Amino acid sequence: MSEIKVRAQYEQLADIYDLRWRKYINNTLTFLYSWEQIDSQSTVLDVACGTGEFERLLLDQNPMQRITGVDISEKMLDIARKKYRVYSNVEFHQTSATSLPFASHSFDVAVCANAFHYFEQPLVALSEIKRVIKPNGKLIILDWSKDFLVCRICDWILQIFDPAHQQCYTQKELHQLLISADFKINRAAMVRFGVIWGLMAVTALPNN
């Protein structure tokens, strides 16, 4: 099962993750934060939150932002919990994106950054995210895009050599998945970081 492989991989990477990927994390998450501003009053669900670096950007602007992070790696979450242990408005849960332990319509905004290519059941995950966001809420995704040649090559290599990797998508494919999960596309962008990293961002709204 893919999630078991992803969990095992990130349990091993947890202690060095922030240092190893510092530049990439900072560049991509800063872009996402600036591209789609999140209201300071919004309750935020960070899906596949890792060590909680997106939380840092939100809390720097609003220390009272209510944020819930979920991830399948307990060790990644342990690091996130240590970072934000003084924030009573921030909490973290170990769970799969396909089985979120929250009531329906719990969040104003859901964010999934740099993780969608790991989802073995993307439609199930999207449907579950749709369930827990409010009817007037939104989902923001940032992920690698096969519309970029280098990312197509990376995707092919990773599918052979990385047992945790599932697949990357083109912008059209991602939008179609969102539409199939009963979202409508509100805003989309393509962005490149250096030679390798070509990403796509999308904001989707639930069809009510």
Side-chain angles (χ1 to χ4, degrees):
M1 185 176 180
S2 175
E3 285 192 350
I4 294 173
K5 296 173 183 176
V6 175
R7 182 184 298 113
Q9 185 176 102
Y10 279 88
E11 295 283 276
Q12 292 181 337
L13 285 173
D15 290 337
I16 62 170
Y17 182 82
D18 284 350
L19 181 61
R20 179 175 177 179
W21 294 104
R22 183 183 304 278
K23 184 176 180 180
Y24 174 85
I25 293 168
N26 181 67
N27 287 343
T28 58
L29 296 185
T30 299
F31 162 78
L32 186 62
Y33 177 80
S34 300
W35 180 75
E36 184 65 37
Q37 289 288 326
I38 295 174
D39 187 90
S40 62
Q41 300 303 310
S42 294
T43 54
V44 180
L45 174 65
D46 187 0
V47 179
C49 66
T51 61
E53 282 300 292
F54 192 67
E55 281 70 4
R56 187 188 306 280
L57 296 175
L58 294 171
L59 294 168
D60 281 348
Q61 294 300 312
N62 177 28
M64 299 307 295
Q65 186 102 45
R66 289 172 293 165
I67 312 170
T68 300
V70 297
D71 201 276
I72 60 172
S73 168
E74 191 65 39
K75 287 188 177 180
M76 296 284 277
L77 291 173
D78 283 343
I79 293 172
R81 291 184 183 110
K82 289 175 184 176
K83 290 178 181 178
Y84 308 109
R85 58 185 176 272
V86 301
Y87 291 90
S88 60
N89 49 303
V90 181
E91 60 184 49
F92 297 96
H93 300 268
Q94 192 275 323
T95 189
S96 166
T98 60
S99 182
L100 298 171
F102 310 113
S104 297
H105 307 157
S106 294
F107 301 95
D108 297 300
V109 179
V111 176
C112 181
N114 299 316
F116 199 76
H117 55 278
Y118 284 119
F119 290 177
E120 186 176 19
Q121 299 177 303
L123 271 176
V124 176
L126 290 174
S127 296
E128 185 68 348
I129 292 169
K130 181 178 181 291
R131 180 185 67 79
V132 301
I133 61 176
K134 297 175 183 178
N136 61 344
K138 61 184 176 180
L139 165 61
I140 310 164
I141 295 177
L142 178 71
D143 204 46
W144 303 347
S145 173
K146 284 201 303 186
D147 291 298
F148 296 94
L149 175 60
V150 177
C151 282
R152 285 203 301 275
I153 295 170
C154 289
D155 180 54
W156 177 74
I157 293 171
L158 288 170
Q159 289 197 46
I160 296 173
F161 295 105
D162 183 352
H165 179 80
Q166 284 297 300
Q167 68 168 316
C168 298
Y169 301 91
T170 64
Q171 185 182 63
K172 182 178 179 180
E173 289 170 340
L174 177 60
H175 289 188
Q176 187 55 58
L177 282 170
L178 285 161
I179 291 167
S180 296
D182 208 20
F183 284 93
K184 55 187 175 185
I185 309 304
N186 183 61
R187 190 173 179 222
M190 305 283 283
V191 62
R192 185 167 220 144
F193 300 98
V195 176
I196 297 177
W197 306 113
L199 287 84
M200 54 186 167
V202 60
T203 298
L205 309 178
N207 282 314
N208 299 322

